[in-house]
Short mmCIF file of all heavy atoms in Angstrom, two decimals:
data_model
loop_
_atom_site.label_atom_id
_atom_site.label_comp_id
_atom_site.label_asym_id
_atom_site.label_seq_id
_atom_site.Cartn_x
_atom_site.Cartn_y
_atom_site.Cartn_z
N LEU A 16 117.62 -29.98 205.75
CA LEU A 16 116.75 -28.85 205.33
C LEU A 16 116.76 -28.75 203.86
O LEU A 16 117.84 -28.72 203.19
CB LEU A 16 117.36 -27.55 205.93
CG LEU A 16 117.41 -27.43 207.47
CD1 LEU A 16 117.98 -26.08 207.85
CD2 LEU A 16 116.01 -27.66 208.07
N THR A 17 115.59 -28.68 203.24
CA THR A 17 115.41 -28.52 201.80
C THR A 17 114.28 -27.52 201.55
O THR A 17 113.22 -27.90 201.10
CB THR A 17 115.14 -29.87 201.10
OG1 THR A 17 113.84 -30.35 201.53
CG2 THR A 17 116.20 -30.90 201.45
N THR A 18 114.53 -26.24 201.87
CA THR A 18 113.46 -25.28 201.82
C THR A 18 113.14 -24.74 200.44
O THR A 18 112.17 -23.97 200.32
CB THR A 18 113.82 -24.11 202.77
OG1 THR A 18 115.01 -23.51 202.38
CG2 THR A 18 113.93 -24.59 204.23
N GLY A 19 113.98 -25.05 199.45
CA GLY A 19 113.66 -24.52 198.11
C GLY A 19 113.63 -23.06 198.00
O GLY A 19 114.45 -22.32 198.56
N THR A 20 112.57 -22.52 197.34
CA THR A 20 112.45 -21.07 197.19
C THR A 20 111.47 -20.50 198.18
O THR A 20 111.05 -19.30 198.02
CB THR A 20 112.01 -20.71 195.74
OG1 THR A 20 110.74 -21.35 195.46
CG2 THR A 20 113.03 -21.18 194.74
N ALA A 21 111.06 -21.28 199.16
CA ALA A 21 110.08 -20.77 200.14
C ALA A 21 110.71 -19.93 201.24
O ALA A 21 110.01 -19.23 201.96
CB ALA A 21 109.40 -21.98 200.78
N ALA A 22 112.03 -20.03 201.45
CA ALA A 22 112.73 -19.33 202.54
C ALA A 22 112.67 -17.83 202.38
O ALA A 22 113.33 -17.30 201.50
CB ALA A 22 114.18 -19.84 202.62
N ARG A 23 111.88 -17.21 203.15
CA ARG A 23 111.54 -15.79 203.01
C ARG A 23 111.26 -15.36 201.60
O ARG A 23 111.71 -14.33 201.12
CB ARG A 23 112.74 -14.94 203.60
CG ARG A 23 112.71 -14.84 205.13
CD ARG A 23 113.62 -13.84 205.73
NE ARG A 23 115.02 -14.07 205.53
CZ ARG A 23 115.94 -13.75 206.44
NH1 ARG A 23 115.61 -13.20 207.57
NH2 ARG A 23 117.25 -13.93 206.17
N GLY A 24 110.47 -16.24 200.94
CA GLY A 24 110.18 -16.03 199.53
C GLY A 24 109.37 -14.77 199.32
O GLY A 24 108.51 -14.39 200.10
N LYS A 25 109.67 -14.09 198.23
CA LYS A 25 108.95 -12.85 197.81
C LYS A 25 108.67 -12.91 196.32
O LYS A 25 109.62 -13.00 195.52
CB LYS A 25 109.75 -11.60 198.19
CG LYS A 25 109.04 -10.28 197.84
CD LYS A 25 109.73 -9.07 198.41
CE LYS A 25 110.97 -8.71 197.64
NZ LYS A 25 111.50 -7.35 198.01
N ILE A 26 107.39 -12.85 196.00
CA ILE A 26 106.97 -12.86 194.58
C ILE A 26 106.88 -11.41 194.07
O ILE A 26 106.46 -10.52 194.76
CB ILE A 26 105.64 -13.61 194.39
CG1 ILE A 26 105.91 -15.11 194.44
CG2 ILE A 26 104.94 -13.17 193.11
CD1 ILE A 26 104.68 -15.97 194.20
N ILE A 27 107.41 -11.22 192.83
CA ILE A 27 107.46 -9.88 192.23
C ILE A 27 106.80 -9.95 190.81
O ILE A 27 107.23 -10.70 190.01
CB ILE A 27 108.90 -9.42 192.09
CG1 ILE A 27 109.53 -9.40 193.53
CG2 ILE A 27 108.99 -8.00 191.47
CD1 ILE A 27 111.07 -9.30 193.48
N ILE A 28 105.75 -9.13 190.65
CA ILE A 28 105.13 -8.96 189.32
C ILE A 28 105.02 -7.45 189.09
O ILE A 28 104.15 -6.80 189.68
CB ILE A 28 103.76 -9.64 189.25
CG1 ILE A 28 103.83 -11.13 189.66
CG2 ILE A 28 103.18 -9.46 187.85
CD1 ILE A 28 102.45 -11.77 189.78
N GLY A 29 105.88 -6.91 188.28
CA GLY A 29 105.89 -5.49 188.06
C GLY A 29 106.14 -4.69 189.36
O GLY A 29 107.08 -5.01 190.06
N GLU A 30 105.25 -3.80 189.74
CA GLU A 30 105.35 -3.02 190.93
C GLU A 30 104.82 -3.81 192.16
O GLU A 30 105.05 -3.36 193.30
CB GLU A 30 104.63 -1.68 190.83
CG GLU A 30 105.22 -0.73 189.82
CD GLU A 30 104.72 -1.01 188.34
OE1 GLU A 30 103.76 -1.81 188.19
OE2 GLU A 30 105.24 -0.37 187.39
N LEU A 31 104.14 -4.92 191.91
CA LEU A 31 103.57 -5.70 193.00
C LEU A 31 104.57 -6.69 193.62
O LEU A 31 105.25 -7.39 192.90
CB LEU A 31 102.37 -6.51 192.45
CG LEU A 31 101.73 -7.52 193.36
CD1 LEU A 31 101.06 -6.83 194.56
CD2 LEU A 31 100.79 -8.46 192.65
N THR A 32 104.71 -6.57 194.93
CA THR A 32 105.57 -7.53 195.67
C THR A 32 104.81 -8.07 196.85
O THR A 32 104.06 -7.28 197.51
CB THR A 32 106.88 -6.89 196.14
OG1 THR A 32 106.63 -5.92 197.11
CG2 THR A 32 107.64 -6.23 194.97
N TYR A 33 104.96 -9.31 197.17
CA TYR A 33 104.33 -9.84 198.35
C TYR A 33 105.04 -11.09 198.80
O TYR A 33 105.63 -11.78 198.01
CB TYR A 33 102.84 -10.14 198.12
CG TYR A 33 102.49 -11.09 197.00
CD1 TYR A 33 102.32 -12.46 197.23
CD2 TYR A 33 102.33 -10.60 195.68
CE1 TYR A 33 101.99 -13.31 196.18
CE2 TYR A 33 101.99 -11.49 194.63
CZ TYR A 33 101.85 -12.81 194.91
OH TYR A 33 101.55 -13.67 193.88
N SER A 34 104.99 -11.37 200.14
CA SER A 34 105.61 -12.50 200.76
C SER A 34 104.89 -13.76 200.31
O SER A 34 103.68 -13.93 200.48
CB SER A 34 105.58 -12.35 202.25
OG SER A 34 106.16 -13.47 202.91
N SER A 35 105.63 -14.74 199.74
CA SER A 35 105.05 -15.92 199.24
C SER A 35 106.09 -16.95 198.87
O SER A 35 107.19 -16.61 198.53
CB SER A 35 104.17 -15.62 197.97
OG SER A 35 103.63 -16.84 197.44
N GLY A 36 105.74 -18.25 198.99
CA GLY A 36 106.55 -19.30 198.42
C GLY A 36 106.16 -19.44 196.94
O GLY A 36 105.38 -18.66 196.38
N PRO A 37 106.68 -20.44 196.25
CA PRO A 37 106.42 -20.64 194.84
C PRO A 37 104.95 -20.95 194.60
O PRO A 37 104.29 -21.57 195.46
CB PRO A 37 107.30 -21.82 194.46
CG PRO A 37 107.58 -22.56 195.70
CD PRO A 37 107.61 -21.46 196.79
N ASN A 38 104.40 -20.48 193.48
CA ASN A 38 103.03 -20.83 193.12
C ASN A 38 102.02 -20.31 194.16
O ASN A 38 100.98 -20.97 194.44
CB ASN A 38 102.89 -22.32 192.90
CG ASN A 38 101.81 -22.65 191.92
OD1 ASN A 38 101.78 -22.07 190.79
ND2 ASN A 38 100.91 -23.52 192.24
N ASN A 39 102.30 -19.19 194.77
CA ASN A 39 101.42 -18.54 195.76
C ASN A 39 101.19 -19.44 197.00
O ASN A 39 100.06 -19.50 197.52
CB ASN A 39 100.07 -18.14 195.12
CG ASN A 39 100.22 -16.91 194.26
OD1 ASN A 39 100.97 -16.00 194.57
ND2 ASN A 39 99.48 -16.86 193.16
N THR A 40 102.19 -20.12 197.43
CA THR A 40 102.10 -20.95 198.66
C THR A 40 102.61 -20.16 199.85
O THR A 40 103.21 -19.12 199.71
CB THR A 40 102.86 -22.25 198.48
OG1 THR A 40 104.25 -21.95 198.11
CG2 THR A 40 102.24 -23.13 197.38
N THR A 41 102.41 -20.74 201.03
CA THR A 41 102.88 -20.09 202.25
C THR A 41 104.34 -20.05 202.33
O THR A 41 105.05 -21.13 202.09
CB THR A 41 102.34 -20.81 203.49
OG1 THR A 41 100.92 -20.89 203.40
CG2 THR A 41 102.75 -20.16 204.74
N PRO A 42 105.01 -18.93 202.59
CA PRO A 42 106.50 -18.91 202.73
C PRO A 42 106.98 -19.38 204.08
O PRO A 42 106.20 -19.43 205.03
CB PRO A 42 106.80 -17.40 202.50
CG PRO A 42 105.65 -16.71 203.08
CD PRO A 42 104.41 -17.55 202.79
N SER A 43 108.25 -19.68 204.17
CA SER A 43 108.87 -19.98 205.45
C SER A 43 109.71 -18.74 205.86
O SER A 43 110.66 -18.36 205.16
CB SER A 43 109.83 -21.18 205.24
OG SER A 43 110.61 -21.42 206.42
N ILE A 44 109.33 -18.14 206.93
CA ILE A 44 109.97 -16.89 207.40
C ILE A 44 110.94 -17.13 208.53
O ILE A 44 112.08 -16.77 208.52
CB ILE A 44 108.89 -15.81 207.76
CG1 ILE A 44 107.91 -15.62 206.62
CG2 ILE A 44 109.58 -14.53 208.18
CD1 ILE A 44 108.49 -15.12 205.37
N LYS A 45 110.41 -17.76 209.63
CA LYS A 45 111.21 -17.83 210.86
C LYS A 45 112.41 -18.74 210.78
O LYS A 45 113.34 -18.54 211.54
CB LYS A 45 110.30 -18.20 211.98
CG LYS A 45 109.24 -17.15 212.33
CD LYS A 45 108.45 -17.48 213.62
CE LYS A 45 107.45 -16.37 213.86
NZ LYS A 45 106.66 -16.66 215.07
N LEU A 46 112.34 -19.80 209.93
CA LEU A 46 113.49 -20.69 209.84
C LEU A 46 114.75 -19.96 209.37
O LEU A 46 115.84 -20.22 209.89
CB LEU A 46 113.18 -21.87 208.93
CG LEU A 46 114.27 -22.97 208.87
CD1 LEU A 46 114.57 -23.50 210.28
CD2 LEU A 46 113.80 -24.11 207.94
N SER A 47 114.61 -19.05 208.40
CA SER A 47 115.75 -18.26 207.93
C SER A 47 116.35 -17.42 209.06
O SER A 47 117.55 -17.34 209.24
CB SER A 47 115.37 -17.40 206.78
OG SER A 47 115.28 -18.09 205.56
N GLU A 48 115.42 -16.77 209.81
CA GLU A 48 115.86 -16.01 210.93
C GLU A 48 116.64 -16.81 211.97
O GLU A 48 117.67 -16.42 212.54
CB GLU A 48 114.68 -15.28 211.58
CG GLU A 48 113.96 -14.34 210.63
CD GLU A 48 112.61 -13.83 211.24
OE1 GLU A 48 112.21 -14.35 212.27
OE2 GLU A 48 112.02 -12.97 210.57
N ASN A 49 116.15 -18.09 212.18
CA ASN A 49 116.81 -18.95 213.12
C ASN A 49 118.13 -19.39 212.63
O ASN A 49 119.12 -19.44 213.41
CB ASN A 49 115.92 -20.19 213.32
CG ASN A 49 116.46 -21.19 214.35
OD1 ASN A 49 116.57 -22.35 214.08
ND2 ASN A 49 116.79 -20.71 215.55
N LEU A 50 118.28 -19.62 211.33
CA LEU A 50 119.58 -20.01 210.76
C LEU A 50 120.60 -18.87 210.95
O LEU A 50 121.78 -19.11 211.22
CB LEU A 50 119.45 -20.36 209.28
CG LEU A 50 118.72 -21.72 208.99
CD1 LEU A 50 118.49 -21.83 207.45
CD2 LEU A 50 119.57 -22.86 209.48
N GLU A 51 120.14 -17.63 210.70
CA GLU A 51 121.07 -16.52 210.91
C GLU A 51 121.49 -16.38 212.37
O GLU A 51 122.69 -16.12 212.63
CB GLU A 51 120.34 -15.18 210.45
CG GLU A 51 120.26 -15.11 208.93
CD GLU A 51 119.53 -13.86 208.47
OE1 GLU A 51 118.63 -13.38 209.17
OE2 GLU A 51 119.95 -13.33 207.41
N LYS A 52 120.61 -16.61 213.30
CA LYS A 52 120.96 -16.60 214.71
C LYS A 52 121.98 -17.72 215.10
O LYS A 52 122.83 -17.55 216.00
CB LYS A 52 119.73 -16.76 215.60
CG LYS A 52 118.80 -15.54 215.61
CD LYS A 52 117.56 -15.77 216.44
CE LYS A 52 116.68 -14.57 216.45
NZ LYS A 52 115.37 -14.82 217.17
N LEU A 53 121.90 -18.77 214.31
CA LEU A 53 122.83 -19.90 214.57
C LEU A 53 124.22 -19.67 213.91
O LEU A 53 125.07 -20.50 213.97
CB LEU A 53 122.23 -21.22 214.10
CG LEU A 53 121.01 -21.71 214.86
CD1 LEU A 53 120.37 -22.89 214.14
CD2 LEU A 53 121.48 -22.18 216.26
N GLY A 54 124.31 -18.52 213.20
CA GLY A 54 125.59 -18.15 212.61
C GLY A 54 125.77 -18.45 211.16
O GLY A 54 126.90 -18.30 210.60
N PHE A 55 124.72 -18.89 210.44
CA PHE A 55 124.85 -19.18 209.02
C PHE A 55 124.84 -17.93 208.17
O PHE A 55 124.08 -16.98 208.47
CB PHE A 55 123.73 -20.12 208.56
CG PHE A 55 123.92 -21.54 209.05
CD1 PHE A 55 123.25 -22.00 210.15
CD2 PHE A 55 124.81 -22.38 208.33
CE1 PHE A 55 123.42 -23.29 210.64
CE2 PHE A 55 124.98 -23.68 208.80
CZ PHE A 55 124.29 -24.18 209.94
N LYS A 56 125.67 -17.93 207.15
CA LYS A 56 125.67 -16.81 206.18
C LYS A 56 124.65 -17.11 205.09
O LYS A 56 124.80 -18.13 204.41
CB LYS A 56 127.09 -16.68 205.61
CG LYS A 56 127.22 -15.74 204.46
CD LYS A 56 127.20 -14.27 204.90
CE LYS A 56 127.58 -13.36 203.73
NZ LYS A 56 127.33 -11.95 204.02
N LEU A 57 123.67 -16.29 204.95
CA LEU A 57 122.68 -16.41 203.91
C LEU A 57 122.85 -15.30 202.88
O LEU A 57 123.42 -14.25 203.16
CB LEU A 57 121.23 -16.35 204.51
CG LEU A 57 120.90 -17.26 205.67
CD1 LEU A 57 119.45 -17.08 206.07
CD2 LEU A 57 121.19 -18.68 205.35
N ARG A 58 122.26 -15.59 201.66
CA ARG A 58 122.25 -14.54 200.65
C ARG A 58 120.93 -14.71 199.85
O ARG A 58 120.25 -15.70 199.97
CB ARG A 58 123.48 -14.60 199.75
CG ARG A 58 123.56 -15.81 198.86
CD ARG A 58 124.84 -15.75 198.01
NE ARG A 58 124.92 -14.57 197.15
CZ ARG A 58 126.00 -14.17 196.49
NH1 ARG A 58 127.14 -14.84 196.70
NH2 ARG A 58 125.98 -13.11 195.76
#
């Protein structure tokens, strides 16, 4: 697994926040949730 900054990525510009990977790409959401279910500690 080499998900970089896409794992539940959230871009922040001032008051604006939105779900996104780097450079406005599609984020990876469910893989992080799966890792937590498998017992991994995330931060």
Side-chain angles (χ1 to χ4, degrees):
L16 299 182
T17 66
T18 58
T20 59
R23 282 195 294 214
K25 181 170 77 170
I26 281 181
I27 303 164
I28 305 172
E30 296 85 7
L31 171 68
T32 67
Y33 57 94
S34 179
S35 175
N38 209 51
N39 285 326
T40 54
T41 304
S43 170
I44 305 298
K45 292 186 177 180
L46 185 57
S47 282
E48 296 170 355
N49 184 232
L50 288 172
E51 286 179 325
K52 287 178 182 176
L53 292 169
F55 286 99
K56 171 76 172 171
L57 307 183
R58 67 182 302 167

